[in-house]
Amino acid sequence: MLDRDRATVRFPEGFVWGAATAAYQIEGAARDDGRGPSIWDTFSRTPGKVHAGHTGDVACDHYHRYREDVALMADLGLASYRFSVAWPRIQPDGTGPVNPRGLDFYDRLVDELLGRGIDPIVTLYHWDLPQALEDRGGWTNRETAEHFAGYATAVYGRLADRVKTWTTLNEPWCSAYLGYGNGVHAPGRQDPAAVFPAIHHLLLAHGLGAQALRAAGAGTVGITVNPAAVFPSDPESAADRQAVRLVDGLHNRIFLDPLLRGGYPADMLEHAARFTDLGFLRDGDEQIIGGPVDLLGINYYAPTYVAARPGAPGGDGAYPGTEGIEFLPPVGPLTDMGWMIEPSGLTALLERLGHDYPDVPLIVTENGAAFPDRPEGDRVPDPDRIGYLDGHLRAVHDAIARGVDLRGYLVWSLLDNFEWAEGYDKRFGIVHVDYLSQRRTPKDSARWFREVIRRNGLEG
Ligand code: FCB
């Protein structure tokens, strides 16, 4: 065992420190400059879908306040900033003519970042599908993947001279299982048969998008996933280990094997065939999906524990065909999301990825925690978040010490923001946002993170 106590730890030279956000969660300006509606505009207006009927209409008003926000990043000493581009700003209907005013915003943002010495990392799709494409079937329609490549090319054409790191999708697991399986996220469909074509078309979008970016000259192209660290309730139980195998397949291998090993795992094709005829899978698709990946983004928050339990309902619609598996209730301490705090899950996950998918460098593109922070005067004390981040950075360091090729760590999130179905109720930022005044206040964790970056490590 490595010493996980408060030892001083140093990160490798050149380790990338940064923060992440996503367009719909922070930008607001939902109708400015020709932006079209996205599935999240529709979903957040559907009664009962988002906490208290919150929407992203205004969010953190980052669209108008990006200069102030970039100044905050510079103050923190961030080397890089991961943001997403809103497809409906670029192509309001998802296809066809490009809206130059939408591109102008990201042009300004990138210039502002570079002017402050911050390297932009662009995510092309962080869940805000143009509504017009959902009206034609969304991710269950193969054409969405083809349109994505056109959209990617348009963004690349404008920003390529300044943006070096491109990622296609954020967390296709969420898009497919939460968007089409249990309906907790937009577009809110609840159809197990839709999940598998959605997964495939998301992966195909990645593949076609990556091909298009490379053809246009892109150097670093990757994708961000949220692999589960999934453990058996009883490691001695063969049935529990079997449950892990299925959940791991549905959460991890069904994405990572086609991306990094050239094809879908046989057990997952068999599993999907229980729900669909696999007619969406065409010759040559796996070659497209399996093209080179230069950087794999990992988002990690909490581990998952499962047990085999006859009669258990399975994964709540999010994992089709997992009846007989219990997803164990989280054990405290918990974050405000009700998620477990288990940094060693991150070490185990990174080691497993490094072992099973050895040829691709990793970067933590999201990690962080929601807590119910309360401003006290000019300060926002958030010791729980500092504890969470400290523990997870030590876990990251452990993984590096054990040989995992991990290049950087981006905290989720720079700002408190629209936390999807939870609306503004959950605060993940290291910078507090007062949504009435739009005032930003760096929390204690922001000051702490600045010190971590300055030292390139943690003190004991
Ligand atoms: C991830 C999302 C991100 C944020 C965090 C808490 O799944 O990528 O947008 O909501 O969870």
Side-chain angles (χ1 to χ4, degrees), residues 334-352:
L334 306 179
T335 71
D336 200 28
M337 296 292 280
W339 295 347
M340 274 172 79
I341 303 176
E342 198 173 286
S344 60
L346 177 55
T347 312
L349 175 67
L350 293 171
E351 281 194 88
R352 183 268 172 109

Side-chain angles (χ1 to χ4, degrees), residues 25 126-127 170-171 174 299 301 339 366 412 419-420 428:
Q25 295 182 276
H126 199 128
W127 306 352
N170 176 70
E171 299 191 4
C174 290
N299 295 353
Y301 291 92
W339 295 347
E366 287 182 25
W412 183 272
E419 178 42 39
W420 308 113
F428 273 93

Side-chain angles (χ1 to χ4, degrees), residues 172-189:
W173 181 88
C174 290
S175 297
Y177 289 92
L178 305 183
Y180 295 85
N182 70 2
V184 166
H185 279 184
R189 284 166 63 179

